[in-house]
Amino acid sequence: MFRVTDTTRAFLFLQGPHGPFFHRLGKMLRRAGADVWRVGFNAGDRAFWFGAKGYIPYRAAPEDWADTFRQIVTDKSITDIVLYGDTRPIHAQAAEAAREMGLRVHVFEEGYMRPYWVTYERGGANGHSRLMDTSVNDMRVALAQSDLDIPEAPAHWGDMRHHVFYGALYHWFVMFRNGDYRNFQPHRELPLIAETALYTKRLLLMPWLALDRMVSTFRIKHGGYPYHIALLQLEHDASFQMHSPFSRMEEFLRVIITGFAKGAPKHHHLVLKAHPLENGRSPTKAIVRDLAKTYGVLDRVHYVRGGKLAQLLDHARTAVTVNSTAGQQVLHRGIPLKVFGDAVYAKPEFVSDLPVDAFFAQPGRPDNRAFKDYRRYLLETSQVPGGFYSARGRRQLMRQVVDMMLDANDPYDALRSGKAPPRQQLRVVK
């Protein structure tokens, strides 16, 4: 069913997640009979594409990339492009050109249903996903032919240490081995030397950060007060920058803390949980403290440095976020949720449209049945068991995702047409 036998497929990989996932994916596509090429934009891209086979270095200026991309597509007879995220400039330009040229656009992202799945879609992800225009009723129609028993996911990230390690290593190569790529411009505004230093610092401080997080979480869990939780994101993350009304995390924090001070009962507290990969590039803790002091709620506001969300969600009254994928863990527990940005799960059945102060005062309950249908739809389509960073996660991901890429239908069309391939059952290893 998935063999490349008629017209040869030719996949062009651009930038991927830190680590060897794209290299391993390319090798398996070659075994399936496809041609595989990889464009590298810096020494970090080159380091994780082991061997020279299929590697194309891009050393020209950024403004020449769109024309170069079209030329590569023509010269190599490319039929498919593969991206990790679709918003960084080189990916956005390539995706636009690819659609004009009639190519398939395969987009990988961190899992909408984290922590044990990754996202695979065609055309776009997050705010550009087809899910944005798919109603819960549409999902129910597509699910009519399916009876897959969806398993639970383990309540942990799974491969955080690997993620941080590969991030630090990637930026080390870009900072110290990038002589052949002098025109490279990172898609983030922070200088590379600062980015590398922050990754390295976080790696070294992980034991201390874990202790600080444990103490903060213990105090909140044993505080005996009702609390609301704000799920913070990385300020430079594409979902935050491209699909939200905010450009700085401080703007979101001000809205949340103001709304909490105005609307929440006086005996309630607010917990602001940092993203697990927050590396200190923004002085979030100091900003939280200053805002809480300004609005007279300093003794009722708490900041937690990343860690396992489940421990805090188990006792939360409500949750707010810009558009974090962790919002779906909130909904899975039936907790009222308010979002401020564009999110694939922002459906009227289970996400509140109340003003933030009214939400903290008296939130409505989400439609848990509707969310269960939504969740099942995602786990039958775009959410693939596995992970990018740990060897075990990659092995599990590779068992299924190559067949999905070679399928004529994207995951959503495959389910709706009744031609979806068998889904791998997730077995949780504890």
Side-chain angles (χ1 to χ4, degrees), residues 230 232 235 240 246 248-262 270 272 282-303:
L232 306 187
E235 187 176 80
F240 186 90
F246 308 111
R248 297 292 178 186
M249 183 56 66
E250 183 174 357
E251 299 168 14
F252 172 64
L253 293 172
R254 186 177 298 277
V255 169
I256 294 307
I257 294 175
T258 303
F260 173 76
K262 180 180 179 181
L270 175 65
L272 298 112
S282 174
T284 306
K285 186 174 183 179
I287 294 171
V288 167
R289 184 183 62 247
D290 292 345
L291 288 172
K293 185 176 180 180
T294 298
Y295 294 103
V297 290
L298 183 60
D299 60 335
R300 296 194 289 138
V301 172
H302 314 269
Y303 178 78

Side-chain angles (χ1 to χ4, degrees), residues 373-386:
D373 290 334
Y374 162 88
R375 182 176 185 270
R376 184 172 159 225
Y377 180 79
L378 262 65
L379 293 180
E380 293 239 36
T381 53
S382 60
Q383 302 306 288
V384 190

Side-chain angles (χ1 to χ4, degrees), residues 60-284:
E63 54 267 26
D64 298 327
W65 164 238
D67 290 338
T68 302
F69 171 79
R70 291 176 180 273
Q71 190 61 52
I72 293 172
V73 168
T74 301
D75 292 346
K76 307 299 184 185
S77 300
I78 299 299
T79 59
D80 303 69
I81 66 169
V82 187
L83 318 169
Y84 174 62
D86 63 347
T87 57
R88 64 185 68 179
I90 56 176
H91 286 179
Q93 292 179 52
E96 181 180 2
R99 285 188 285 267
E100 293 173 0
M101 301 173 78
L103 310 183
R104 297 178 186 88
V105 180
H106 306 265
V107 183
F108 286 91
E109 256 293 3
E110 304 295 342
Y112 296 148
M113 292 294 187
R114 295 181 191 177
Y116 211 67
W117 288 273
V118 304
T119 297
Y120 165 69
E121 296 183 277
R122 296 190 189 173
N126 293 312
H128 299 146
S129 168
R130 288 181 58 181
L131 291 170
M132 298 297 297
D133 299 318
T134 305
S135 69
V136 173
N137 284 335
D138 292 337
M139 296 177 185
R140 285 169 171 158
V141 171
L143 287 168
Q145 303 181 62
S146 171
D147 60 355
L148 181 65
D149 184 19
I150 300 298
E152 297 298 316
H156 59 79
W157 184 272
D159 50 6
M160 178 58 65
R161 288 173 296 175
H162 303 85
H163 195 161
V164 174
F165 169 76
Y166 282 130
L169 185 60
Y170 179 91
H171 286 93
W172 184 90
F173 274 106
V174 175
M175 189 167 67
F176 295 111
R177 292 289 187 269
N178 220 45
D180 289 341
Y181 301 88
R182 299 185 185 279
N183 289 314
F184 172 68
Q185 292 183 7
H187 62 284
R188 296 172 180 170
E189 62 183 38
L190 198 67
L192 285 172
I193 189 169
E195 188 90 31
T196 305
L198 288 172
Y199 265 104
T200 304
K201 180 181 178 182
R202 176 176 172 76
L203 197 61
L204 295 173
L205 290 179
M206 285 186 82
W208 183 87
L209 294 174
L211 178 61
D212 178 75
R213 183 168 60 244
M214 288 172 58
V215 172
S216 299
T217 301
F218 180 87
R219 289 174 175 170
I220 293 166
K221 289 174 64 177
H222 295 83
Y225 42 73
Y227 63 83
H228 310 262
I229 186 167
L231 308 175
L232 306 187
Q233 296 165 243
L234 299 176
E235 187 176 80
H236 59 270
D237 185 76
S239 292
F240 186 90
Q241 290 295 328
M242 304 296 294
H243 304 300
S244 88
F246 308 111
S247 59
R248 297 292 178 186
M249 183 56 66
E250 183 174 357
E251 299 168 14
F252 172 64
L253 293 172
R254 186 177 298 277
V255 169
I256 294 307
I257 294 175
T258 303
F260 173 76
K262 180 180 179 181
K266 300 303 181 184
H267 62 291
H268 284 206
H269 287 230
L270 175 65
V271 175
L272 298 112
K273 183 189 173 297
H275 188 278
L277 289 174
E278 180 58 59
N279 56 16
R281 65 192 296 162
S282 174
T284 306

